[in-house]
Amino acid sequence: MLHSFTPGARPALAALLAMAALSGCELLGDSTGAKPRTAQAECDGTGKVTLNGDPLPAAPNGFVGVGNKLLSVTDCRPTRFVGVSRPSLSFSTGGGRLGVDSMAANDFAAIRAWGANTVRIEVAQYYYVPTARSYDAAYPARVERVVKQARAAGLYVIITLQASDRGIANYEPVGNTHQPMPDRNHSIPFWTDVANRFKNDGGVLFDLFSEPYPRGGSNGFDNWEMWQKGGLHAADNTYDPRPAFQAVGMQEMYDVVRATGAQNVVIIAGTNWGYNLSGVPSHRIKGHNIAYSAHPWNHPEYPTANQPSAWESDWAFLARTDPLIATEFGTLDCKEPYVRAMLDKADELQMGWIAWSWSTPSTGDSLRQETVEDPICSRSLLVLDWKGTPTKVGALIKQRLASY
């Protein structure tokens, strides 16, 4: 059975060009200056997708980017990826509960029961890559097993490179494990292996680097040239003194994934810890099946940062031309209005979202949910126990998921 999808009318030529760049298909008229024709994607039910008759590359049972939508290859229907982050594989080689098959299966079943269709799984390259100091030979297979369990539970999976090491062989992962950019020595082999492992399952999406903050630019953490092209990133002391390293830009990281033959959706976060997408139009990554991501976080210590009044110019505008997923968001003070505003904005834009995080309080922690001093708030926890009993903010997430 043939299914089709026609994006909404886009009278502006710039928007049509943006759509063409995303999908990898040419939508221009002929050399006489004829008006560009309307794009129409068609799915034949066997996983083959065409756009105005031209075939689109896609991973098996996966998705293609057309305009600002990600379409399922089975029926050409736009898909919103909505769900939660399930941490711990980036915290330790064993992955906590995720390293125990029965516990992982229970977690994914509970997440699915909330109505989520997606889980985001964060991974550490210094456990994954053989030349890294903390390499664990069992870790790559453990990641693969966890991903397959989530898929068996009926969830799409976003694999995120969350924790890295600047590509330094003897780097010891202590303190905050965020780095400003992916690196040449370890991030490239990490994504080469991950892409090869999962290229035959289009229900697995690749989030190249969780929260880039390349030093430089207008606010000190949004060097868009570095973000796009990479280069030598200077030593910095954002968290503690760390040495210079060879950063890899998002264009090359995307190319690394495609070089394996993987056609899975690639997710690319912006600058300023993944929040800012304002430089994307002038530094667009060339390719297909690309979604961009934003990380709106409410930090009580920075009360004017990342607030809803700035979302349109900082990141939300991009949802009108490109697929967009807020692959991480939350509030560190348990105040619902910020989270509700984020969910409402996502629904307005029909974009995906992933809430942080499906984790529980530690033994002995206070269960109070009032201020940033409370562990449930400062860690943005969504559940009180592994049965899925929601926190105050978690109840908002559960309710919204159930409404779809």
Side-chain angles (χ1 to χ4, degrees):
M1 182 177 180
L2 189 67
H3 303 273
S4 65
F5 170 79
T6 302
R10 299 197 195 302
L13 178 60
L16 283 166
L17 291 174
M19 181 163 61
L22 178 69
S23 67
C25 296
E26 187 172 78
L27 302 180
L28 295 175
D30 60 28
S31 58
T32 64
K35 183 179 179 180
R37 66 188 185 276
T38 301
Q40 179 169 302
E42 293 184 336
C43 299
D44 67 0
T46 69
K48 296 179 181 179
V49 185
T50 59
L51 184 68
N52 292 332
D54 298 322
L56 298 180
N61 300 310
F63 303 88
V64 295
V66 177
N68 64 347
K69 305 296 183 185
L70 292 170
L71 309 183
S72 167
V73 300
T74 60
D75 57 14
C76 276
R77 291 183 179 177
T79 300
R80 288 180 71 191
F81 298 89
V82 291
V84 299
S85 285
R86 177 62 183 95
S88 73
L89 272 175
S90 65
F91 298 162
S92 67
T93 57
R97 286 175 60 88
L98 290 185
V100 181
D101 287 351
S102 59
M103 292 182 177
N106 288 339
D107 289 355
F108 293 138
I111 290 169
R112 189 74 182 95
W114 270 27
N117 68 8
T118 305
V119 65
R120 181 174 180 257
I121 295 174
E122 296 83 18
V123 181
Q125 71 179 28
Y126 43 69
Y127 299 145
Y128 201 104
V129 178
T131 54
R133 173 176 178 169
S134 300
Y135 170 66
D136 177 355
Y139 186 75
R142 186 173 299 119
V143 171
E144 183 174 3
R145 188 169 70 250
V146 169
V147 170
K148 288 182 176 179
Q149 283 185 293
R151 295 288 290 125
L155 293 164
Y156 302 123
V157 175
I158 296 173
I159 298 178
T160 301
L161 177 51
Q162 178 79 15
S164 57
D165 54 10
R166 301 189 175 218
I168 299 171
N170 64 351
Y171 191 93
E172 185 176 2
V174 295
N176 193 300
T177 57
H178 285 96
Q179 306 295 345
M181 286 287 289
D183 60 80
R184 184 161 301 284
N185 292 341
H186 291 164
S187 302
I188 288 178
F190 170 84
W191 275 116
T192 297
D193 185 274
V194 170
N196 273 310
R197 283 178 187 266
F198 297 106
K199 64 185 178 183
N200 291 318
D201 183 0
V204 180
L205 291 70
F206 302 150
D207 189 357
L208 294 182
F209 198 74
S210 179
E211 294 186 327
Y213 59 95
R215 296 300 300 265
S218 60
N219 76 352
F221 301 101
D222 59 357
N223 183 337
W224 284 101
E225 285 296 302
M226 177 73 70
W227 177 87
Q228 181 187 41
K229 301 176 182 178
L232 180 64
H233 194 287
D236 69 286
N237 60 353
T238 305
Y239 296 108
D240 48 64
R242 299 180 184 181
F245 71 102
Q246 191 65 38
V248 178
M250 296 303 160
Q251 183 65 63
E252 185 174 356
M253 290 306 308
Y254 166 88
D255 293 340
V256 164
V257 169
R258 292 290 180 247
T260 68
Q263 303 298 341
N264 306 56
V265 171
V266 170
I267 301 172
I268 304 176
T271 60
N272 195 17
W273 282 269
Y275 167 77
N276 181 15
L277 294 172
S278 64
V280 167
S282 58
H283 295 82
R284 188 174 294 278
I285 303 305
K286 297 177 181 178
H288 57 272
N289 299 345
I290 292 173
Y292 291 97
S293 75
H295 286 195
W297 273 95
N298 185 41
H299 296 269
E301 66 271 37
Y302 306 112
T304 63
N306 304 352
Q307 294 304 301
S309 60
W311 289 349
E312 183 63 32
S313 59
D314 288 348
W315 57 266
F317 73 95
L318 200 63
R320 294 176 174 83
T321 56
D322 297 76
L324 181 59
I325 306 172
T327 53
E328 193 177 300
F329 73 95
T331 183
L332 302 181
D333 59 7
C334 289
K335 299 297 189 291
E336 297 106 312
Y338 188 90
V339 174
R340 186 178 291 109
M342 176 59 218
L343 295 172
D344 290 346
K345 190 66 173 178
D347 285 352
E348 172 196 332
L349 298 172
Q350 288 296 291
M351 57 177 275
W353 56 263
I354 306 294
W356 181 277
S357 72
W358 190 275
S359 302
T360 66
S362 301
T363 302
D365 279 352
S366 166
L367 299 184
R368 201 175 77 126
Q369 303 176 53
E370 299 299 333
T371 74
V372 71
E373 304 300 325
D374 300 325
I376 288 175
C377 303
S378 64
R379 294 167 55 199
S380 190
L381 305 183
L382 299 178
V383 289
L384 294 171
D385 53 50
W386 294 116
K387 296 178 182 178
T389 303
T391 61
K392 187 164 60 173
V393 170
L396 283 179
I397 299 301
K398 182 179 181 181
Q399 182 182 38
R400 190 60 59 100
L401 287 169
S403 72
Y404 296 147

